[in-house]
């Protein structure tokens, strides 16, 4: 698996790098981040050149006429550019670079009627963008930062208006989605809490939502584990006995044998397929306490899933990108898999966790 990311990079380059989507989750910005990480890992200047070309494409399309969302639009592109600057892949003043994005997000949050808190197309995506912008603590405190602080507060207030009515859907979601809105918003609020800007409101929200989390048990066992991990994220910033108790209840109610049947083993896709489940299991093994209910099953399930499928990566064809794309759904699925292996080596090979087999 050490060579997996190199093989993926070669297949993507053979495909021609001709995508017109410049978004983070489905386009050139996400591919750009993958190649910058690969350059840092290997020192190969060819990968840096590819990343730079892709960044130029994305930057050239920072237009106020572009959509604002996180999945394909300016919020995701802006998040990616801020990420690359903060991780020293590129240099620049993001207050200047992202002025068009900041203005678009400002207008969207203040002028549009937003009815979703999804990560991909709703308020959670804008929250993630604003959090990343505010992590870049330039001195002196800039006007853009002051405005983004107020937008963060506005976004959290809007989330408060939307989330409560959505809790009954916890029991109705029947397909695994790594971007599932409930854990996504919990992770976003945890990151917002670390900024120490609107903590009293965030704490109030969590206490307000607790009865709903206690009342609705996800129908999918994978979602029970996922929600337990999301609650653990919040608990790490604001320990509450009721939160910890609900985490224990969710883990106790998770049947890992049933969980294995919920994973679509034919979908080799980070968001909807077994690679995303492998990532979730690995995060759960790190975040949850070893004495948690069913904890030993987390590593065993991860091993079972990854051992069954790692042959799919070994059979990738360097000289036949069409066949590889057919195996993995699309070249963009390859990018997600490659980026995951770059950031968390071994997650998809079964070597990331250490547990009795």
């Amino acid at each position: 698996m050490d060579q997996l990311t190199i093989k993926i990079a070669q297949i993507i380059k053979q495909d021609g790098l001709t995508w017109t989507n410049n978004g983070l989750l489905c386009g050139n910005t996400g591919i750009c981040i993958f190649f910058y990480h690969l350059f840092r890992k290997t020192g190969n200047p060819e990968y840096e050149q590819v990343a730079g070309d892709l960044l130029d494409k994305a930057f050239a399309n920072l237009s106020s006429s572009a959509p604002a969302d996180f999945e394909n639009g300016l919020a995701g592109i802006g998040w990616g550019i801020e990420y690359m600057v903060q991780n020293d892949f590129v240099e620049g003043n993001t207050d200047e670079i992202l002025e068009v994005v900041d203005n678009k997000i400002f207008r969207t949050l203040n002028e549009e009627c937003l009815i979703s808190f999804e990560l991909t197309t709703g308020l959670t995506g804008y929250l993630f963008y604003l959090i990343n912008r505010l992590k870049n603590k330039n001195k002196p405190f800039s006007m853009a930062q002051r405005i983004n602080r107020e937008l963060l507060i506005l976004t959290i207030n809007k989330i408060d208006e939307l989330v409560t009515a959505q809790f009954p859907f916890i029991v109705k979601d029947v397909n695994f989605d790594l971007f599932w809105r409930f854990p996504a918003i919990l992770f976003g609020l945890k990151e917002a809490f670390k900024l120490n800007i609107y903590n009293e409101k965030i704490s109030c929200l969590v206490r307000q939502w607790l009865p709903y989390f206690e009342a609705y048990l996800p129908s999918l066992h994978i979602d029970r584990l996922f929600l337990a991990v999301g609650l653990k994220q919040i608990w790490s910033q604001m320990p509450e006995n009721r939160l910890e108790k609900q985490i224990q209840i969710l883990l106790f109610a998770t049947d890992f044998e049933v969980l294995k049947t919920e994973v679509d083993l034919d979908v080799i896709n980070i968001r909807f397929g077994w690679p995303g489940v492998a990532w979730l299991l690995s995060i759960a093994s790190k975040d949850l306490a070893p004495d948690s209910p069913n904890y030993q099953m987390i590593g065993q399930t991860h091993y079972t899933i990854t051992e069954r499928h790692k042959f799919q990566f070994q059979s990738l064809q360097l000289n036949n990108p069409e066949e590889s794309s057919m195996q993995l759904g699309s070249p963009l699925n390859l990018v997600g898999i490659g980026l995951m292996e770059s950031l968390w080596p071994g997650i998809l090979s079964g070597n990331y966790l250490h547990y009795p087999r």
Side-chain angles (χ1 to χ4, degrees):
M1 293 295 282
D2 289 342
Q3 296 302 313
L4 175 61
T5 52
I6 305 297
K7 191 182 290 188
I8 286 173
Q10 291 174 310
I11 292 172
I12 292 169
K13 286 168 59 186
Q14 286 179 95
D15 193 72
L17 299 168
T18 56
W19 294 283
T20 57
N21 186 326
N22 289 295
L24 175 66
L25 302 182
C26 300
N28 288 322
T29 302
I31 304 170
C32 175
I33 292 172
F34 165 66
F35 275 100
Y36 270 128
H37 274 288
L38 192 54
F39 164 68
R40 180 165 290 174
K41 187 176 183 179
T42 65
N44 186 336
E46 184 180 355
Y47 298 139
E48 184 181 33
Q49 181 63 52
V50 172
D53 291 344
L54 290 168
L55 181 59
D56 288 343
K57 280 187 182 180
F59 184 74
N61 286 275
L62 288 181
S63 164
S64 59
S65 62
D69 66 88
F70 193 77
E71 182 174 21
N72 297 305
L74 292 179
I77 297 171
W79 185 98
I81 291 173
E82 185 67 73
Y83 174 90
M84 287 183 268
V85 170
Q86 290 182 29
N87 285 275
D88 298 320
F89 291 122
V90 294
E91 296 181 353
N93 183 338
T94 51
D95 283 351
E96 297 175 0
I97 296 169
L98 298 177
E99 183 178 3
V100 170
V101 182
D102 284 343
N103 290 340
K104 180 78 172 191
I105 302 303
F106 179 91
R107 290 195 300 273
T108 298
L109 291 171
N110 280 283
E111 297 174 8
E112 295 186 15
C113 180
L114 300 169
I115 58 173
S116 166
F117 71 99
E118 298 284 348
L119 170 64
T120 51
T121 57
L123 285 165
T124 302
Y126 301 127
L127 179 67
F128 274 48
Y129 171 76
L130 293 166
I131 290 168
N132 216 27
R133 291 284 286 118
L134 290 165
K135 284 181 179 178
N136 193 342
K137 298 179 179 178
N138 296 325
K139 302 294 183 181
F141 204 59
S142 68
M143 179 59 70
Q145 288 172 308
R146 294 178 191 277
I147 293 171
N148 283 331
R149 282 174 65 97
E150 295 305 312
L151 287 177
L152 180 84
I153 292 170
L154 174 64
T155 302
I156 292 173
N157 286 335
K158 285 180 175 289
I159 287 169
D160 182 22
E161 297 171 4
L162 289 180
V163 172
T164 301
Q166 297 294 313
F167 276 108
F169 288 93
I170 285 180
V171 303
K172 298 178 182 178
D173 291 310
V174 294
N175 296 300
F176 172 74
D177 183 350
L178 193 61
F179 301 157
W180 187 32
R181 58 191 178 278
F182 294 102
I185 191 58
L186 291 171
F187 180 79
L189 290 177
K190 181 207 72 168
E191 292 297 304
F193 195 88
K194 289 160 66 174
L195 295 173
N196 197 29
I197 292 173
Y198 204 30
N199 287 7
E200 185 176 345
K201 175 66 173 185
I202 295 171
S203 297
C204 180
L205 277 182
V206 172
R207 288 193 298 270
Q208 173 187 319
W209 293 346
L210 259 173
Y212 297 99
F213 283 122
E214 292 167 342
Y216 295 103
L217 188 71
S219 56
L220 289 178
H221 290 261
I222 186 64
D223 282 350
R224 295 175 190 180
L225 177 64
F226 202 175
L227 191 55
V229 172
L231 291 172
K232 184 69 173 181
Q233 294 278 331
I234 281 288
W235 181 90
S236 69
Q237 297 298 314
M238 51 187 84
E240 289 247 357
N241 289 336
R242 286 175 65 187
L243 270 176
E244 187 167 18
K245 180 180 178 182
Q246 188 59 22
I247 293 167
Q248 302 299 310
I249 290 171
L250 287 164
L251 294 174
F252 186 79
T254 301
D255 185 325
F256 282 82
E257 292 304 315
V258 176
L259 184 152
K260 292 174 189 176
T261 70
E262 296 171 344
V263 180
D264 191 336
L265 300 178
D266 294 323
V267 178
I268 313 171
N269 177 289
I270 296 295
R271 181 174 176 183
F272 300 112
W274 73 263
V277 174
W279 179 86
L280 173 59
L281 289 164
S282 67
I283 297 301
S285 75
K286 303 299 182 185
D287 285 359
L288 300 173
D291 60 352
S292 299
N294 289 319
Y295 179 83
Q296 73 282 0
M297 294 300 300
I298 297 173
Q300 293 174 19
T301 304
H302 181 270
Y303 178 75
T304 299
I305 291 173
T306 55
E307 190 66 16
R308 178 172 176 176
H309 290 285
K310 61 183 179 183
F311 76 90
Q312 293 167 325
F313 302 122
Q314 296 166 355
S315 63
L316 289 179
Q317 300 296 314
L318 292 181
N319 297 319
N320 193 343
E322 290 185 4
E323 181 178 335
S324 295
S325 296
M326 183 172 62
Q327 289 174 322
L328 294 176
S330 77
L332 287 171
N333 286 347
L334 280 173
V335 173
I337 290 165
L339 188 56
M340 182 177 286
E341 271 298 303
S342 295
L343 295 173
W344 300 281
I347 276 186
L348 301 179
S349 65
N351 298 321
Y352 188 74
L353 307 180
H354 302 284
Y355 42 78
R357 297 176 182 172

